[in-house]
C-alpha cells in the first residue's frame, strides 16, 4: 500500500510541476494581450474571464505537455524557435477566451458564463502542436 501511495504522490507531483511551469510560460508569453485586457470593459467581466482563461490554459498546457492527454509533440518551455509561435498562440487563446467569456457574461447576465466560456480554450490549446508543425513546414517551403 505504501509503495502505491508514493507512486501516486510522484505522479501528482510531476503533474503539478508541469502545471506550474505551464502557468509561468503562458502568463509570460501572453503579456502583450494581458496588457491590452487591462483597458477592456466591462472590467469585472473581463477580469473574471481573463483569470479563468489563464488558469485553464495553465492546467491544459501542463496536462498536454506532460503527456497525460495525447495531443501531439509539445515544444519544450525553453524551445526558442517556437517562442514566437507560442507567444502569439497563447495570446490569441487567452485574449479570445477572456473577451468571449466577458461578452457571454454581459449578454446573458449570467455570472457563470464568464467562467464556463473560457474553459473552451482547452480545445484551442490542444491544437498547438499541429499549428507549430504547420508553421514549421510552411517556413521550410519558403526558404
Amino acid at each position: 500500500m505504501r509503495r502505491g501511495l508514493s507512486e501516486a504522490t510522484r505522479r501528482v507531483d510531476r503533474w503539478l510541476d508541469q502545471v506550474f511551469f505551464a502557468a509561468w510560460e503562458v502568463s509570460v508569453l501572453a503579456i502583450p494581450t494581458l496588457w491590452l485586457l487591462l483597458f477592456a470593459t466591462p472590467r469585472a467581466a473581463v477580469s473574471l474571464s481573463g483569470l479563468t482563461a489563464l488558469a485553464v490554459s495553465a492546467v491544459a498546457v501542463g496536462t498536454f505537455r506532460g503527456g497525460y492527454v495525447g495531443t501531439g509533440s509539445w515544444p519544450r518551455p525553453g524551445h526558442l524557435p517556437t517562442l514566437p509561435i507560442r507567444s502569439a498562440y497563447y495570446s490569441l487563446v487567452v485574449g479570445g477566451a477572456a473577451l468571449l467569456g466577458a461578452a457571454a457574461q454581459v449578454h446573458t447576465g449570467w455570472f457563470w458564463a464568464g467562467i464556463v466560456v473560457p474553459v473552451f480554450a482547452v480545445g484551442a490549446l490542444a491544437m498547438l502542436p499541429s499549428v507549430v508543425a504547420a508553421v514549421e513546414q510552411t517556413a521550410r517551403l519558403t526558404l
Side-chain angles (χ1 to χ4, degrees), residues 2 7 17 20-21 26 37-38 42 49 70 72 75 79-80 101 104 106 134:
R2 187 159 175 86
E7 179 61 29
D17 193 50
F20 171 78
F21 286 105
V26 171
L37 287 175
L38 288 173
S49 293
H79 191 242
L80 290 178
V106 168

Side-chain angles (χ1 to χ4, degrees), residues 4 15 23 28 33 35 41 46 54 60 79 94 107-108 112-113 119 134 140:
W15 179 75
V28 168
T33 295
W35 185 79
T41 56
V46 172
L54 275 174
H79 191 242
V94 169
H107 179 70
T108 64
W112 290 101
V119 170
R140 279 192 290 272

Side-chain angles (χ1 to χ4, degrees), residues 14-25 55 58-63:
R14 182 178 173 272
W15 179 75
L16 288 173
D17 193 50
Q18 293 284 341
V19 170
F20 171 78
F21 286 105
W24 175 87
E25 175 184 9
V59 171
V61 170
T63 302

Side-chain angles (χ1 to χ4, degrees), residues 29-140:
L29 294 181
I31 284 176
T33 295
L34 295 174
W35 185 79
L36 290 173
L37 287 175
L38 288 173
F39 304 103
T41 56
R43 292 179 62 96
V46 172
S47 297
L48 174 65
S49 293
L51 184 59
T52 304
L54 275 174
V56 165
S57 296
V59 171
V61 170
T63 302
F64 294 149
R65 182 172 283 132
Y68 297 98
V69 177
T71 59
S73 177
W74 274 73
R76 293 180 324 276
H79 191 242
L80 290 178
T82 61
L83 186 74
I85 301 166
R86 289 181 291 133
S87 179
Y89 201 80
Y90 294 154
S91 291
L92 286 172
V93 169
V94 169
L99 293 176
L100 285 174
Q105 183 180 349
V106 168
H107 179 70
T108 64
W110 189 48
F111 172 83
W112 290 101
I115 295 171
V116 172
V117 171
V119 170
F120 291 102
V122 172
L125 288 166
M127 295 186 304
L128 179 68
S130 300
V131 170
V132 169
V135 170
E136 288 174 342
Q137 183 179 11
T138 302
R140 279 192 290 272

